[in-house]
Amino acid sequence: MNTFKILEIKQSVFADNNRQADALRTELKTEKTFLLNLMSSPGSGKTTTLTKTINALKDEMKIGVMEADIDSDVDAHTISKTGVKVIQLHTGGMCHLDADMTKQGLEGLGTKEIDLAILENVGNLVCPAEFDTGASKNAMILSIPEGDDKPLKYPLMFTIVDVLLINKIDVLQYFDFDLEACKERVLKLNPNVKIISISARTGEGINEFADWIRAEEKKWNES
Amino acid sequence: MNTFKILEIKQSVFADNNRQADALRTELKTEKTFLLNLMSSPGSGKTTTLTKTINALKDEMKIGVMEADIDSDVDAHTISKTGVKVIQLHTGGMCHLDADMTKQGLEGLGTKEIDLAILENVGNLVCPAEFDTGASKNAMILSIPEGDDKPLKYPLMFTIVDVLLINKIDVLQYFDFDLEACKERVLKLNPNVKIISISARTGEGINEFADWIRAEEKKWNES
């Protein structure tokens, strides 16, 4: 038995996504819901990172998670074990969510009582970067095995994120990954991004990420 | 100085991609050019795998490589060091190549003398699976750090490939990756796929992949 709903997202009819995104942000501000959009390649550790982060935060804020996938509900099952509200969004082949699709998801999730809504976007470094979802903040995970050249190859994604988690730091020694060169490439594209090294597996860095969310959620509700 | 051309690909005007793909395959057959379309997530090791494979095959066949990227020419630089013909394709934000875009790339590369043309597709498990490029065969790389659940989450990609390379097998012991469970999931979607475990870094399995290409290229020219 699923403990979560599955929602088939409809393609948006709005031509002006940026306007929809701004409208959604205004709505979320009124409702005092902080929406975090989490993006990455497939297999970089979004779901494991989320599980650990939710466990660090769930006693102090009401959390709801939207799991966006082309197909399957593997991640929604995993997240639902944390006890927070989860909805699985099926994008029907589309490789991103725009603001209207995110809004459909939020309506399915129900945000009235939610302090922190998290959108786990489709695993992809291209399309999700091109569409403002209306999120309060954008987070991205880059994992060590993917290589330190990713900022060179997917510059837009690294430009639009507010926080970058460099995951699987526990296996750094087994890969040819130059952490300093990678950070330099990212900061050249995006001087204001916060970079946190984490290991979702060992839990390293999760507290620092949880602190970042606490601070940003507070700012969101006060501004 | 670049030793390769950079081509800005134009968006296709053809509504019927499948027909364009079949027409391209017919053309390639006439020219005796075997076109391999290589797909994967970002950072799974496409370029390193290609470098090793090209070095194994370049003395026995004329090879040309198309490097498709949203931006940058990092991979074209790397491949050009093998001495084979390379062209960098810029997709202008698009996360896949269709048959017409592939044809533009092949024209830029020049296929008349080429036995083996390789398209390194955009790093993405979603869009490239949805568009037939006109390739003779489709190859995919899944790397160990991405996780054994990927066939469940990106089923279409695993369904359309002819050969699946499971890369970074040298770091298997550091990850929670169930190789047998993964293979079972893939074979359930695609019983005819050839699965080869490789390490592009150590060279393990590259000869088996080169053998597969040799055999398929031979069949392509004989059929």
Side-chain angles (χ1 to χ4, degrees):
Chain A
M1 263 289 280
N2 284 348
T3 54
F4 51 85
K5 200 156 56 168
I6 297 181
L7 183 68
E8 308 292 331
I9 294 280
K10 289 183 221 59
Q11 194 139 13
S12 303
V13 293
F14 299 101
D16 187 349
N17 183 58
N18 288 342
R19 190 183 301 180
Q20 296 298 320
D22 285 338
L24 180 56
R25 255 187 299 273
T26 307
E27 237 176 86
L28 290 169
K29 227 176 189 0
T30 314
E31 290 181 6
K32 293 195 177 299
T33 300
F34 179 80
L35 173 60
L36 185 71
N37 173 28
L38 180 60
M39 297 172 287
S40 82
S41 294
S44 66
K46 284 190 295 304
T47 311
T48 313
T49 302
L50 273 191
T51 302
K52 293 275 168 90
T53 309
I54 288 166
N55 284 332
L57 292 170
K58 69 181 177 187
D59 293 338
E60 54 194 281
M61 46 181 97
K62 274 270 210 185
I63 301 175
V65 178
M66 297 179 282
E67 286 293 331
D69 272 299
I70 302 300
D71 207 340
S72 98
D73 51 15
V74 182
D75 292 341
H77 276 288
T78 308
I79 295 292
S80 70
K81 288 181 195 150
T82 62
V84 303
K85 210 167 171 184
V86 183
I87 186 168
Q88 176 73 53
L89 311 180
H90 280 169
T91 62
M94 281 173 288
C95 60
H96 70 278
L97 293 185
D98 62 17
D100 176 60
M101 293 155 85
T102 304
K103 199 180 163 170
Q104 293 174 47
L106 286 165
E107 279 163 7
L109 185 67
T111 53
K112 286 279 178 279
E113 291 159 17
I114 282 175
D115 305 311
L116 169 63
I118 302 171
L119 169 63
E120 184 178 330
N121 216 312
V122 181
N124 193 308
L125 294 187
V126 183
C127 336
E130 293 166 359
F131 292 87
D132 187 344
T133 58
S136 316
K137 292 284 169 185
N138 291 316
M140 180 200 168
I141 300 179
L142 171 70
S143 65
I144 295 292
E146 292 170 64
D148 56 33
D149 62 345
K150 290 300 153 296
L152 301 173
K153 300 180 67 182
Y154 302 92
L156 183 60
M157 177 59 82
F158 288 87
T159 305
I160 62 147
V161 293
D162 300 292
V163 61
L164 171 68
L165 307 176
I166 302 187
N167 191 22
K168 307 190 188 179
I169 199 76
D170 56 311
V171 295
L172 181 62
Q173 65 190 109
Y174 306 118
F175 291 90
D176 308 319
F177 189 102
D178 187 332
L179 194 57
E180 287 317 305
C182 182
K183 285 183 183 175
E184 218 170 275
R185 284 167 190 155
V186 174
L187 290 169
K188 200 175 157 193
L189 291 165
N190 185 350
N192 299 316
V193 70
K194 165 90 175 166
I195 303 178
I196 308 174
S197 294
I198 68 163
S199 165
R201 184 161 58 172
T202 69
E204 183 181 340
I206 294 295
N207 281 340
E208 196 179 345
F209 180 44
D211 279 343
W212 181 87
I213 294 176
R214 282 183 190 105
E216 292 298 331
E217 198 251 356
K218 200 165 166 239
K219 276 193 248 170
W220 180 251
N221 288 329
E222 284 172 356
S223 64
Chain B
M1 261 293 278
N2 284 347
T3 54
F4 51 84
K5 197 159 52 169
I6 297 181
L7 184 68
E8 309 291 332
I9 294 281
K10 287 184 223 57
Q11 193 139 15
S12 304
V13 293
F14 298 103
D16 188 348
N17 183 59
N18 287 341
R19 190 183 301 178
Q20 296 298 321
D22 285 339
L24 180 55
R25 257 186 299 272
T26 306
E27 236 176 87
L28 289 168
K29 228 177 186 5
T30 313
E31 290 180 7
K32 292 197 180 299
T33 301
F34 179 80
L35 172 61
L36 185 69
N37 173 29
L38 180 60
M39 298 171 286
S40 82
S41 295
S44 66
K46 286 190 293 303
T47 311
T48 314
T49 302
L50 274 190
T51 303
K52 295 275 168 90
T53 308
I54 288 166
N55 285 333
L57 291 170
K58 69 183 177 186
D59 292 339
E60 56 195 279
M61 46 181 97
K62 275 269 210 185
I63 302 176
V65 178
M66 298 179 281
E67 286 292 330
D69 273 297
I70 302 299
D71 207 340
S72 97
D73 51 15
V74 181
D75 293 342
H77 276 285
T78 309
I79 295 292
S80 69
K81 289 179 194 151
T82 63
V84 303
K85 208 169 174 184
V86 182
I87 185 170
Q88 176 74 53
L89 311 181
H90 280 170
T91 62
M94 279 175 289
C95 59
H96 69 277
L97 292 185
D98 63 17
D100 176 60
M101 293 156 83
T102 304
K103 197 178 166 175
Q104 293 174 47
L106 285 165
E107 279 163 6
L109 186 68
T111 53
K112 286 279 179 279
E113 291 160 17
I114 282 174
D115 306 310
L116 170 63
I118 302 172
L119 170 62
E120 185 179 329
N121 216 312
V122 182
N124 192 309
L125 294 187
V126 182
C127 335
E130 294 167 358
F131 292 87
D132 187 343
T133 58
S136 315
K137 292 285 170 184
N138 290 317
M140 179 201 169
I141 301 180
L142 171 69
S143 66
I144 296 293
E146 292 171 64
D148 56 34
D149 61 345
K150 290 299 152 296
L152 302 174
K153 300 181 66 182
Y154 303 92
L156 182 60
M157 176 60 81
F158 289 87
T159 306
I160 62 148
V161 294
D162 299 293
V163 61
L164 171 68
L165 307 176
I166 301 186
N167 191 22
K168 307 190 188 178
I169 198 78
D170 56 311
V171 294
L172 181 61
Q173 63 190 110
Y174 307 117
F175 290 90
D176 308 318
F177 188 102
D178 187 332
L179 193 58
E180 286 317 307
C182 181
K183 285 183 183 173
E184 217 170 275
R185 284 167 190 155
V186 174
L187 290 168
K188 201 176 157 192
L189 290 166
N190 186 350
N192 299 318
V193 69
K194 165 91 174 165
I195 303 177
I196 308 175
S197 295
I198 69 164
S199 164
R201 184 160 59 171
T202 69
E204 182 181 340
I206 294 293
N207 282 340
E208 196 179 345
F209 180 45
D211 279 343
W212 180 87
I213 293 176
R214 282 181 189 105
E216 293 298 329
E217 198 252 355
K218 197 161 171 243
K219 275 192 249 171
W220 180 251
N221 289 329
E222 285 172 354
S223 64

